[in-house]
């Protein structure tokens, strides 16, 4: 693709959740149309997009239809089948590239990639049997977080071990589904932060200020900007995010989550090759949100400014917390965003709000 995507062109988005919804809204602001590929009809993104293809993400006929309809294709979540992205890329540009999906979908591959480009992570061991788990626990002093290597999110597919002897985890591999696992060593960290960064088609780089994140039951509760970190730690986080973007020849927005150690140094927890929950604050506290930044990047437009005009705290509305919406709207410094989901269920993200601090 040469030159910026002309106004009126159609951007394909794989995935119809709230991130796809916000991407479609940002695309419309810049004069683009959007088509969503999502098996669930009346998904949040379909309520604001121009059209929807109701089909599975790996449906070859649907992928062909998406390619014909789109000038460029992107995605809102990292569990898009790599084969689907590779198939699409034969006939239409796909950003971020399939390689980013391949790296991020497997925790062992992801951490090996990061270590290979000089970015530290927690110690880890691949686990494919109870024997592997016993050896890994022995190496890590009987403690660690056992995770599925693929498909885990919001704390799902995880089990904690503390003071566990090597034979004390017998049966855990089967109990976790008998799928490939990874044991990650516990990290003694002060706080968790994330950086939302972007790389354009021309190689330009940009990053928003790091956000300090608090999780509850494995789900992001809040993101606060500025984070309580030194300027050097903030620079190091941004430099790491840029190194990842460059190594993947990435185009679009990426979320990089870090553990901040007591001495201010960093370990990368994970990467997300997409717009990210911890960057939702940018739609309220910046002139150019992470969603617009992503559309700018994949469309070949200049990246927008990432500076914030306000300090802020973003909070997710989970399940019945969405009932706070009316009272939140009464607050003058609150920007509310609801996702159009019909049913509030425990653990389900129904919306978010950002409280600005002047």
């Amino acid at each position: 693709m040469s030159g910026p995507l002309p106004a009126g062109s159609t951007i394909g988005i794989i995935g119809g959740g709230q991130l796809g919804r916000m991407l479609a809204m940002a695309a419309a602001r810049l004069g683009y149309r959007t088509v969503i590929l999502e098996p669930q009809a009346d998904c949040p993104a379909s309520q604001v997009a121009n059209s929807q293809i109701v089909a599975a993400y790996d449906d070859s006929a649907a992928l062909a239809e998406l390619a014909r309809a789109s000038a460029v294709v992107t995605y809102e979540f990292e569990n898009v089948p790599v084969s689907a992205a590779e198939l699409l890329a034969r006939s239409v540009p796909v950003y971020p590239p399939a390689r980013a999906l391949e790296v991020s979908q497997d925790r062992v591959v992801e951490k090996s990639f990061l270590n290979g480009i000089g970015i530290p992570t927690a110690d880890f061991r691949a686990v494919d049997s109870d024997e592997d788990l016993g050896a890994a626990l022995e190496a890590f002093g009987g403690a660690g977080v056992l995770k599925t290597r693929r498909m885990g999110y919001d704390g799902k597919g995880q089990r904690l071990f503390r003071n566990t002897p090597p034979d004390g985890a017998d049966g855990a591999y089967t109990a976790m589904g008998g799928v490939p696992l990874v044991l990650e060593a516990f990290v003694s960290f002060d706080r968790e932060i994330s950086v939302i960064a972007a790389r354009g088609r021309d190689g330009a780089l940009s990053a928003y200020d790091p956000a300090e994140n608090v999780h509850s039951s494995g789900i992001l509760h809040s993101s606060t900007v500025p984070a309580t970190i030194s300027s050097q730690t903030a620079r190091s986080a941004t430099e790491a995010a840029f190194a990842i973007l460059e190594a993947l020849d990435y185009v679009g927005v990426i979320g990089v989550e870090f553990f901040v150690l007591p001495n201010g140094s960093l370990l990368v927890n994970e990467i997300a090759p997409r717009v990210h929950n911890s960057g939702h604050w940018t739609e309220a506290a910046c002139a150019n949100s992470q969603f617009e930044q992503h559309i700018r990047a994949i469309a070949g437009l200049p990246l927008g400014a990432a500076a914030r005009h306000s300090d802020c705290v973003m909070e997710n509305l989970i399940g019945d917390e969405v009932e706070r919406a009316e009272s939140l709207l009464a607050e003058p410094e609150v920007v509310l965003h609801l996702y159009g989901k019909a049913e509030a269920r425990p653990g389900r993200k129904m919306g978010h709000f950002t409280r600005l601090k002047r």
Side-chain angles (χ1 to χ4, degrees):
M1 182 188 297
S2 61
L5 196 65
S9 300
T10 297
I11 295 173
I13 302 173
I14 303 176
Q18 62 265 19
L19 299 180
R21 177 189 183 96
M22 289 180 268
L23 286 171
M25 294 169 68
R29 286 187 58 195
L30 295 176
Y32 297 120
R33 300 174 63 84
T34 48
V35 54
I36 306 297
L37 173 61
E38 164 62 45
Q40 176 191 332
D42 192 34
C43 58
S46 73
Q47 298 165 20
V48 298
N50 296 94
S51 61
Q52 179 183 357
I53 300 169
V54 181
Y57 305 127
D58 59 355
D59 184 307
S60 57
L63 290 168
E65 182 181 353
L66 181 67
R68 287 192 298 270
S70 306
V72 64
V73 173
T74 190
Y75 43 87
E76 65 138 19
F77 69 113
E78 60 265 51
N79 289 324
V80 173
V82 174
S83 58
E86 291 174 338
L87 180 63
L88 283 166
R90 296 174 190 168
S91 52
V92 64
V94 177
Y95 302 125
R99 171 65 174 154
L101 288 174
E102 187 177 28
V103 166
S104 66
Q105 285 180 0
D106 185 305
R107 287 188 168 97
V108 169
V109 174
E110 178 183 75
K111 292 181 188 304
S112 298
F113 160 76
L114 291 167
N115 293 169
I117 62 172
I119 295 176
T121 64
D123 289 338
F124 65 96
R125 298 287 190 279
V127 172
D128 294 303
S129 66
D130 280 338
E131 291 74 20
D132 287 346
L133 178 56
L137 282 169
E138 186 172 16
F140 295 159
V145 185
L146 186 65
K147 301 178 180 181
T148 54
R149 284 176 59 168
R150 303 176 68 87
M151 303 297 285
Y153 65 96
D154 285 349
K156 297 176 175 64
Q158 299 187 13
R159 179 173 172 179
L160 300 180
F161 291 92
R162 298 180 188 275
N163 302 314
T164 305
D167 60 353
D170 288 349
Y173 176 74
T174 301
M176 291 279 286
V179 298
L181 306 173
V182 59
L183 186 74
E184 298 176 4
F186 278 131
V187 175
S188 179
F189 60 90
D190 277 353
R191 53 186 45 84
E192 296 177 81
I193 65 169
S194 58
V195 168
I196 306 301
R199 185 172 181 268
R201 279 178 17 210
D202 61 355
L205 296 166
S206 179
Y208 295 92
D209 292 332
E212 184 168 339
N213 302 320
V214 175
H215 293 80
S216 177
S217 301
I219 302 174
L220 181 67
H221 168 67
S222 66
S223 295
T224 300
V225 184
T228 312
I229 56 176
S230 69
S231 58
Q232 178 56 54
T233 297
R235 283 194 299 273
S236 296
T238 298
E239 289 167 0
F242 286 170
I244 293 166
L245 291 172
E246 296 279 21
L248 291 172
D249 195 20
Y250 196 94
V251 174
V253 160
I254 195 170
V256 185
E257 298 181 352
F258 298 86
F259 297 124
V260 183
L261 305 187
N263 65 359
S265 64
L266 298 166
L267 299 178
V268 170
N269 180 25
E270 63 182 29
I271 62 176
R274 53 172 171 81
V275 289
H276 195 260
N277 192 175
S278 68
H280 289 356
W281 63 272
T282 61
E283 69 176 354
C286 302
N288 176 60
S289 73
Q290 66 164 340
F291 307 102
E292 181 173 324
Q293 192 79 305
H294 186 78
I295 298 300
R296 283 173 176 248
I298 67 172
L301 297 171
L303 296 183
R308 72 178 191 277
H309 54 68
S310 302
D311 295 348
C312 63
V313 179
M314 186 282 300
E315 292 187 32
N316 279 323
L317 294 171
I318 309 296
D320 291 340
E321 291 177 356
V322 71
E323 295 174 5
R324 298 174 57 193
E326 185 175 348
S327 63
L328 288 167
L329 287 171
E331 295 188 41
E333 296 297 321
V334 164
V335 179
L336 176 69
H337 193 135
L338 302 181
Y339 301 152
K341 297 179 179 179
E343 181 184 0
R345 298 194 296 264
R348 192 181 199 193
K349 296 173 182 174
M350 301 299 295
H352 68 269
F353 67 93
T354 304
R355 182 174 286 112
L356 301 177
K357 298 180 179 180
R358 303 292 187 177

